[in-house]
Amino acid sequence: MRQRGATRRRPQRYSAFGLLRHGLRHDDWPRVWRTSELDRRYDVVIVGAGVHGLAAAYYLASKHGISKVAVLDKGYVGGGGSGRNTAILRSNYLTPEGVRFYERSMELYRNLAVDLNFNVMFAQRGHLTLAHTDASLRTMVWRAEVNKLQGVNSEVVSPEEVKRLVPFMDVSNHARYPILGALYHPPGGIIRHDAVNWGYARAANALGVEIHQNTEVTGITVRDGRVQGVTTPRGEIAAPIVLNCTAGWASLVAGMAGVKLPIITHPLQAAVTEPVKVFLGAVVVSGSLHVYVSQTDRGELVFGASTDPYASYSMRGSLEFTEELASHVLELMPSIGRMRVLRQWAGLCDMTPDFSPVMGTTPVEGFLVDVGWGTYGFKAGPAAGEAMAELVATGRTPELISAFGLARFEQGRLVGERGAASVGH
Ligand code: PYC
C-alpha cells in the first residue's frame, strides 16, 4: 500500500513583492490545491472533505507515504461541520480515554501552523466552564481531577477568579443563575476553522492527494463482506479502503455499505455579532444556560447553543434560537445588550448514545468510520486523522482510539462524555 515516488509539490511561498503583486492583481492568484481528473481506482477513498477527511489524507501521505488517495465531497472543502462549528479547542474531558485523545489533538493543533506552513490562528485564551449548581460544580471537580491525572491543565476556580478573568461577567448573587465556580482550562482556546481546512487541503494535495469537490458518493459497493469502491455521479471508483469521514450524513453513508450506526442527527445553531474591540479574554461556557461564547481576533462574538431538541437535517436558523441565546448571554454579560447579531447558521451533529465518537473498523472489511462527532468534532480532527491514517496504513487500531470502536455499543463498554459536552443536551 505504501506509495513510493509520489509527486511532492511544496506549497508556494511568496516574497513581500510577490504578495503585493498578487494582492493587487486578482486574476493570477494560484490555486491553493490542484483539481485533477477523477481516476477509476485509488488506494483509499475518503468520503468528506472536512477537517477529519483532510487530516486523514494528509497524515496518510505525510506519515505513511500513501498518496493515491481521493477525498470526495458532495459540496466544498470545509462546507459542512468543519466550517459551521464555533472553533473551540480544549481537552478537559471527563473520561481518561477522552482526555488522552483530545489532548493529542491539542498537541497537533499547537504545531499545526508550522507543520502545514499555514497560519491557522490558534489563540490559547483559556476556557471557562461555569457551574451554576452544586451538581455541576461536583462534575467540574471530577473533570479537573481526571484532567490532572492525564497531565492536562485544569482546575476549579472561584467566582472571584472568574471575574478577574472575565471582568464583564456578572458573578453577583443577584444573577438569575449565580456562578458558584468554574472549571478553568488555560490551554483551551479558539482557532480559525477555515484556515485549518484549507491548510490540510493544501498540504495533502501538495503530497499527491486528490480533492474532488461536488462529487457526491451515492453508493458503496460491498462484495463478500468486503468493500470494493464507491459510486458517484462522475462514475464508479474502485478502492480497497473507503473511509467515512462525514458529519451530518454519517449514518446515511454508512447505510450505503450496510453498516448501521447508533447515531441520531440534530441541528445546532450558532451566531456571530458585529466586531467590537477585543474585551473577552477567555472562552466562556455555561452548560445550564445552554450557551458558549468567545471573541475572535477580529472582535466578533461567536455564540453557540446546545443541539436543537429534534432530529433533523435542516441547516436553517430560527428566531426562537436567537431570542433564547440573547437572553442567556445577557444573564451572564448584561453590558453587551446593544451589540447586534450579524449572522446565524446551523450545522448538523451526529449524536451517539454516550456522547463519544465512533472510530475504527466496521463489520464490512475495508470500510472504516471516523464519525459520530456530535458537538465535539472540530477539535478532534488532527488526532482522529492521524489515528485513522495509522489504522489504514498498518491494519491495526491505534491504542489512542481503541475505546471508541463501533463494537462498544454491543459490548456495553460506553465512554460516557455527556458531563463534558460543552452545553447541556
Ligand atoms: O465541545 O467545546 C465543545 C463545544 C463547543 C461548541 C460546541 N461544542
Side-chain angles (χ1 to χ4, degrees), residues 279-299:
F279 68 92
L280 181 60
V283 179
V284 178
V285 177
S286 167
S288 311
L289 288 171
H290 304 281
V291 72
Y292 37 91
V293 53
S294 66
Q295 190 169 21
T296 69
D297 292 326
R298 271 199 304 222

Side-chain angles (χ1 to χ4, degrees), residues 34 36 57-58 61 66-67 69-71 201 204-211:
R34 290 168 295 176
S36 18
Y58 170 67
I66 299 171
S67 55
V69 176
V71 184
N205 182 246
L207 293 170
V209 168
E210 292 177 20
I211 298 165

